[in-house]
Amino acid sequence: MRRWDLAQLLAFLGLLGLVLGAPFLLDPARADDLLIRWTVRLSLAYWTLAVTTLLLGESADTSRLGGKTRFGRWCWTFAWASYLIHLAVAFHFYHQWSHHHAMEHTREVSGSGEGIFVSHLFTILWTLDVLWWWVAPGLYMRRPVWVGLLLHGFMVFIIFNGTVVYETGMIRWAGLAMFTWLGAMALIRMLKQVRPVQRIDQPR
C-alpha cells in the first residue's frame, strides 16, 4: 500500500472513530439518533468528494489508475463503507432489526413500504460496483459509458430523494447545495470535452 493510500485510510478511520464515539460523549441520551445522522452525513461527504473527483479526474487514460482516480476510488469505498455502517446503526437502534418496522417507516416517509426494496437494490448495486473497482480495476475503467451513467443516475435519484424531496430545513438546503455543486462539476467536465472539438472545427 502506498503512503498516500495509507494516509487516506487512516484519515477515514479517524473520522469514522470520531463519528462513532462523539455522540456518546456529547449527548449520550441522543447517541442513537446522532449515530444514524452522522454516519450518513459522513457517507454523503465522501460520496460528494468521490463523484467530484471522478467528474474532474483522468478520463482520457483508462488503462491505469492515476492519482485522482485512486483518490476517487478510496472516497467511493469510504462512502460505501460509511453507508453500510449507517444501515447497521439504523436497523439496530431505530428498527430493532425488524424489516417490517423498516417497511412501515418507509411507508410513512414515501407513501410506499415496498420502496425499501429500491433501497436494497441501491445497496447491492453500490456494493457490486465497489467490489468490481477493487477486484478488476482495468476492466472497471474500460466498462461501457452507459453502465456508469445508469448506476450513477440511479444513485443520484435515490440520494436526491433522501436528502431533498423527503427532507426539510437545513438538511434539504444542504442537499440542494451538494447537488448544485455536483451539477457545476458536471458542467465543467462537459465544457472540457467540448473545447477540443470546437478547436478542430474552427477554420484556419
Side-chain angles (χ1 to χ4, degrees):
M1 180 179 291
R2 300 180 181 180
R3 291 183 179 179
W4 177 236
D5 293 337
L6 180 60
Q8 292 177 80
L9 179 59
L10 292 176
F12 167 68
L13 292 176
L15 287 173
L16 181 61
L18 183 63
V19 164
L20 295 178
F24 294 98
L25 297 175
L26 298 177
D27 193 350
R30 296 181 55 242
D32 52 352
D33 180 63
L34 293 177
L35 280 172
I36 294 172
R37 293 177 182 274
W38 289 8
T39 49
V40 75
R41 289 170 184 172
L42 180 63
S43 177
L44 288 173
Y46 269 111
W47 178 78
T48 303
L49 189 56
V51 175
T52 299
T53 305
L54 294 176
L55 286 172
L56 302 181
E58 302 119 337
S59 59
D61 185 5
T62 59
S63 62
R64 62 183 180 84
L65 287 177
K68 290 182 180 179
T69 306
R70 292 177 65 88
F71 178 70
R73 183 174 66 172
W74 276 114
C75 291
W76 191 242
T77 304
F78 297 152
W80 164 77
S82 302
Y83 170 71
L84 291 186
I85 294 172
H86 163 73
L87 284 184
V89 169
F91 262 88
H92 180 73
F93 288 109
Y94 190 78
H95 302 301
Q96 289 77 49
W97 297 104
S98 170
H99 193 264
H100 175 74
H101 186 274
M103 285 189 67
E104 290 305 310
H105 173 71
T106 304
R107 192 185 312 278
E108 292 175 4
V109 173
S110 66
S112 174
E114 289 71 20
I116 194 172
F117 293 104
V118 179
S119 298
H120 294 339
L121 178 61
F122 174 91
T123 304
I124 292 171
L125 291 178
W126 197 357
T127 300
L128 292 176
D129 191 72
V130 170
L131 292 176
W132 185 4
W133 202 350
W134 281 100
V135 173
L139 181 62
Y140 180 92
M141 297 297 291
R142 293 191 298 271
R143 68 183 180 179
V145 175
W146 64 266
V147 175
L149 290 177
L150 281 179
L151 174 68
H152 288 288
F154 174 67
M155 293 185 69
V156 165
F157 172 77
I158 297 298
I159 295 173
F160 184 83
N161 277 276
T163 58
V164 177
V165 177
Y166 297 123
E167 283 291 350
T168 58
M170 289 301 299
I171 296 179
R172 173 176 288 178
W173 285 108
L176 287 172
M178 178 179 68
F179 281 103
T180 300
W181 166 264
L182 292 178
M185 296 303 101
L187 180 60
I188 291 174
R189 180 185 178 91
M190 287 188 292
L191 291 176
K192 285 183 177 180
Q193 293 176 337
V194 169
R195 282 175 187 171
V197 177
Q198 290 179 337
R199 285 198 294 266
I200 293 174
D201 292 340
Q202 288 177 353
R204 297 181 180 179

